[in-house]
Amino acid sequence: MKDKLIYWVNQLLVADFFLVLFSFFWFAIALIGRSIGVSLGLDLWYSLWNPVFTPAIGLLMAGALLTGLMNQINKRLNSE
């Protein structure tokens, strides 16, 4: 049961990582487009920042901390 939970948490974190990575590349490309005068969705990106990308970044950080904490607890329980 514990292994299945860890597996699904890791799968969620991988999907979330790719969402965050996609949002970063979208932002970078949209900024380049804005600087040369081409609309590449920067306004849409800004409108999605608070409802989508900020929670995704927070979930990624919390998941990384939670995974590290779970690994430390498992390591200490298994060493005894």
Side-chain angles (χ1 to χ4, degrees):
M1 178 69 179
K2 180 181 71 169
D3 291 334
K4 274 198 177 272
L5 177 65
I6 291 173
Y7 172 78
W8 284 110
V9 167
N10 285 334
Q11 293 292 21
L12 177 70
L13 289 176
V14 168
D16 190 47
F17 171 76
F18 283 110
L19 174 67
V20 170
L21 196 62
F22 168 76
S23 70
F24 169 74
F25 285 124
W26 180 10
F27 179 67
I29 291 169
L31 277 180
I32 292 169
R34 169 78 54 103
S35 70
I36 61 174
V38 177
S39 177
L40 294 176
L42 187 61
D43 294 330
L44 176 61
W45 190 92
Y46 276 135
S47 69
L48 293 174
W49 172 250
N50 277 331
V52 177
F53 301 136
T54 302
I57 293 169
L59 181 66
L60 187 63
M61 288 189 290
L65 291 173
L66 182 64
T67 301
L69 181 65
M70 287 174 20
N71 286 337
Q72 286 296 325
I73 290 171
N74 281 337
K75 193 183 299 183
R76 289 183 188 209
L77 288 176
N78 291 335
S79 68
E80 291 178 356

